[in-house]
């Protein structure tokens, strides 16, 4: 359901979502060539089934010492600490924060962890939350109007920002494409969001779930 990388692209993480063991896990892979998925070698997995049996979104804080998994069974965001950065075998569950929502599918952050974004597939709406403590989901708050309705897609599944938060990318399961938007204010989806265009990935995937970029935006992964 989701794909993430560590900061230098030498590790890849894939979220498994359905069935019994070995699913409901975050799988870790080592990449011998950074950002080249063809060089991936499986390392380890961590089960998240106790917290969420329909996981859909995966993210990390900036230094890889925290991991987050959301899902549409619990309608919450589960927070974990990693005693070794970006090593999922060292993950320990901290707590879960209820989000409510309508089929939440992805969780993402601004650059300093003071804003969190949840993509809801059921109503194709992206919600923006403020955190009083960076990367601590339990300190979230929501202000009316801090959302973006996605009219370009009827089954939005995943989101990603560019590094400075002036561009937003939304992956659609219905259109099998990636829609691109510009933001007048970095990491603020409540106002000044302009649709640019969409890029079809239907030749490669007709049920896309996760999107990610390398840090300079020269590679996209679906």
């Amino acid at each position: 359901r989701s794909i993430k990388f560590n900061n230098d692209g030498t590790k890849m993480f894939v979220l498994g979502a359905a069935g019994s063991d070995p699913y409901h896990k975050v799988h870790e892979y080592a990449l011998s060539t950074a950002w080249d998925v063809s060089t991936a070698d499986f390392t380890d997995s961590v089960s998240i089934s106790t917290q969420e049996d329909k996981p859909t979104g995966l993210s990390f804080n900036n230094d890889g010492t925290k991991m987050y998994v959301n899902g549409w069974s619990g309608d919450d965001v589960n927070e974990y600490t990693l005693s070794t950065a970006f090593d999922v075998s060292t993950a320990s569950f901290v707590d879960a924060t209820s989000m409510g929502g309508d089929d939440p599918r992805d969780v993402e952050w601004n650059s300093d962890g003071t804003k969190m974004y949840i993509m809801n597939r059921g109503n194709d709406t992206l919600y923006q939350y403020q955190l009083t403590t960076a990367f601590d989901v339990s300190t979230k708050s929501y202000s009316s109007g801090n959302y973006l309705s996605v009219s370009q897609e009827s089954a939005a599944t995943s989101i990603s920002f560019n590094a400075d938060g002036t561009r937003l990318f939304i992956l659609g399961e219905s259109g099998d494409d990636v829609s691109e938007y510009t933001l007048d204010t970095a990491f603020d989806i409540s106002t000044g969001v302009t649709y640019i265009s969409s890029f079809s990935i239907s030749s490669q995937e007709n049920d896309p779930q996760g999107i990610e970029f390398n840090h300079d935006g020269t590679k996209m992964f679906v």
Side-chain angles (χ1 to χ4, degrees):
R1 295 286 186 172
S2 186
I3 178 174
K4 288 292 182 286
F5 295 86
N6 68 341
N7 294 330
D8 64 5
T10 58
K11 287 189 175 185
M12 178 177 70
F13 306 88
V14 176
L15 178 66
S20 57
D21 191 78
Y23 305 104
H24 306 141
K25 289 185 176 183
V26 178
H27 304 283
E28 178 183 324
Y29 302 80
L31 279 66
S32 55
T33 300
W35 307 109
D36 184 349
V37 297
S38 69
T39 68
D41 187 32
F42 174 70
T43 303
D44 207 344
S45 297
V46 61
S47 174
I48 45 85
S49 60
T50 301
Q51 291 79 44
E52 178 59 62
D53 63 5
K54 294 292 186 295
T56 54
L58 171 69
S59 66
F60 294 86
N61 68 342
N62 291 337
D63 64 5
T65 57
K66 287 191 175 185
M67 180 178 74
Y68 308 86
V69 175
N70 70 323
W72 57 265
S73 178
D75 289 336
D76 55 14
V77 177
N78 300 281
E79 181 178 325
Y80 305 79
T81 58
L82 281 67
S83 56
T84 301
F86 291 110
D87 181 350
V88 298
S89 69
T90 69
S92 298
F93 175 66
V94 177
D95 57 23
T97 301
S98 177
M99 304 302 298
D102 187 3
D103 193 0
R105 288 298 178 112
D106 201 7
V107 55
E108 193 56 85
W109 304 87
N110 68 342
S111 55
D112 64 4
T114 57
K115 288 183 179 180
M116 179 178 67
Y117 309 85
I118 300 291
M119 184 74 246
N120 279 3
R121 182 183 183 275
N123 59 1
D124 297 308
T125 302
L126 179 61
Y127 293 93
Q128 175 180 300
Y129 299 83
Q130 193 74 32
L131 281 71
T132 54
T133 301
F135 291 110
D136 183 347
V137 183
S138 67
T139 68
K140 73 174 177 64
S141 62
Y142 176 75
S143 298
S144 178
N146 284 339
Y147 68 88
L148 174 66
S149 295
V150 182
S151 60
Q152 288 75 32
E153 177 57 52
S154 61
T157 57
S158 186
I159 71 164
S160 186
F161 290 93
N162 68 339
D164 65 6
T166 58
R167 288 182 185 247
L168 167 68
F169 306 87
I170 297 180
L171 179 67
E173 186 180 5
S174 177
D176 299 330
D177 56 15
V178 179
S179 297
E180 179 179 343
Y181 306 79
T182 58
L183 282 66
D184 289 349
T185 303
F187 292 110
D188 185 356
I189 64 170
S190 64
T191 184
V193 179
T194 303
Y195 170 69
I196 301 299
S197 62
S198 295
F199 175 75
S200 176
I201 48 89
S202 59
S203 295
Q204 292 80 43
E205 180 58 60
N206 62 9
D207 188 15
Q209 301 295 322
I211 183 172
E212 188 62 289
F213 291 83
N214 66 343
H215 285 329
D216 65 4
T218 57
K219 287 191 175 185
M220 179 174 73
F221 306 87
V222 175

